[in-house]
Amino acid sequence: MMVLPLSARFFLVNLQPAFPPRSRETIFFIEVNVLRCKVNITSCRFAALKIPFGNLLTNLNRKLTMETLTKVVIDPCFAQRIPHYRAMIIEADVVNSETSDGQKLAMEELAAGIAARYEVGAINSIPAIAATRAAYKACGKDPNRYRPSQEQMMRRIVRGLGLYNVNAIVDAGNQLSLLSGCSVGCFDAEKVVGTTLTLGIGREGEPYEGIGRGTLNIAGLPVFRDSVGGIGTPTSDNERTRISLSTRRLLVTVHLFDPAADPDGILSVFTSLFTAYAAAGSIRHSIVSA
């Protein structure tokens, strides 16, 4: 059974959709007012999401205060172009596996809700996606040629192609991205070289092997680099640091291009998803601002 403290109404806050309720049965939505930190709970139904009400607000308001071992430095050129930018960095011990039937069902329900709500032309106007596209333009990249990953997934869903399954961790990262509207990168922390990531703008000719994409031209894309080179962009992560079934230490980056994005809510959803599907423990997180 999936535990998800912020259900479809969390999605409403960040992406401004609302999944049409199928009945009046008692499952709970949460609406979070990110400006006033106000939580309203109403009764209705969202497919197969079962939320233990007793622990709901405890999980929602839990703050994990341990800072990440990985440090992030934001390049001044990037900060100048996107001055409101924030990044969330999350680390955890995990146990990866093939995607379970329960996780597949949850992803199917999530995709069905998105497909029922959107047409392809409306996806670009979702606030978190619109903010990511604006950041691409500010960095010198055409977001129609190199689409952010969350936009790619939503377009795939709305066109009736559904969500593909990779493994429990990668799929949980995709769920988090769709629920938050943010670009989420998942990396095997043991493959990352050094303890500092630098966020900058891709350079002409900079080598980068996108997962399942081959050589990717990252010039003008926001890019996280370790001591060796690029590991992640909002369009595609790098083959070098990709997640495998043997991954035991997880590093996650969440791009918060939208000033209204709620990092506490995103962390709560991360905790629920990755605890349920990847036995996540020793969770650490940090927020870095431009």
Side-chain angles (χ1 to χ4, degrees):
M1 181 179 296
M2 184 171 74
V3 178
L4 191 61
L6 298 179
S7 63
R9 282 301 190 91
F10 172 79
F11 194 15
L12 172 61
V13 169
N14 290 280
L15 306 187
Q16 294 188 350
F19 298 128
R22 300 182 181 180
S23 74
R24 292 295 179 181
E25 299 177 24
T26 54
I27 303 295
F28 296 96
F29 281 134
I30 299 178
E31 183 176 4
V32 180
N33 184 323
V34 294
L35 298 179
R36 298 183 181 179
C37 300
K38 181 180 179 181
V39 178
N40 298 321
I41 302 175
T42 56
S43 173
C44 70
R45 175 179 171 81
F46 172 53
L49 295 183
K50 309 293 185 180
I51 305 168
F53 184 65
N55 295 326
L56 198 59
L57 296 183
T58 301
N59 289 338
L60 173 62
N61 294 315
R62 181 193 299 129
K63 296 184 185 296
L64 305 178
T65 57
M66 293 187 296
E67 291 190 355
T68 55
L69 301 176
T70 302
K71 305 303 179 185
V72 173
V73 175
I74 298 179
D75 183 272
C77 182
F78 182 93
Q80 183 178 18
R81 297 191 187 196
I82 313 172
H84 59 271
Y85 176 81
R86 295 170 296 161
M88 173 180 280
I89 309 300
I90 308 173
E91 297 169 338
D93 295 331
V94 290
V95 178
N96 202 8
S97 65
E98 300 290 350
T99 309
S100 67
D101 290 342
Q103 188 175 11
K104 289 178 182 178
L105 176 61
M107 294 178 73
E108 290 169 3
E109 295 284 0
L110 177 57
I114 292 171
R117 179 69 182 180
Y118 286 103
E119 295 181 356
V120 171
I123 294 172
N124 290 358
S125 63
I126 294 169
I129 293 177
T132 305
R133 291 173 60 87
Y136 274 38
K137 293 177 182 178
C139 291
K141 203 68 166 178
D142 181 356
N144 291 321
R145 292 190 61 192
Y146 295 84
R147 297 186 187 277
S149 58
Q150 71 275 40
E151 181 183 348
Q152 294 175 41
M153 285 191 290
M154 289 196 70
R155 289 172 66 90
R156 178 181 175 88
I157 290 168
V158 173
R159 287 174 169 169
L161 299 176
L163 287 171
Y164 48 82
N165 298 117
V166 180
N167 55 54
I169 290 176
V170 172
D171 289 354
N174 288 339
Q175 289 171 279
L176 179 62
S177 183
L178 289 169
L179 286 165
S180 67
C182 300
S183 176
V184 175
C186 292
F187 311 97
D188 188 322
E190 295 180 351
K191 298 176 183 177
V192 175
V193 181
T195 59
T196 299
L197 294 181
T198 301
L199 177 63
I201 300 172
R203 299 180 287 265
E204 290 290 344
E206 183 171 359
Y208 193 93
E209 191 79 7
I211 296 175
R213 301 173 67 107
T215 301
L216 182 66
N217 175 14
I218 65 169
L221 280 177
V223 56
F224 276 107
R225 300 182 179 97
D226 65 4
S227 297
V228 172
I231 67 168
T233 75
T235 289
S236 177
D237 294 332
N238 198 309
E239 284 279 358
R240 176 169 61 88
T241 49
R242 74 181 299 171
I243 298 294
S244 70
L245 289 176
S246 62
T247 295
R248 292 295 178 266
R249 282 291 299 159
L250 175 66
L251 173 65
V252 173
T253 60
V254 184
H255 289 280
L256 305 175
F257 291 110
D258 182 3
D262 173 22
D264 286 341
I266 293 171
L267 180 62
S268 184
V269 175
F270 169 90
T271 302
S272 292
L273 287 170
F274 283 82
T275 299
Y277 298 131
S282 300
I283 298 172
R284 299 172 177 264
H285 84 286
S286 298
I287 305 291
V288 182
S289 301

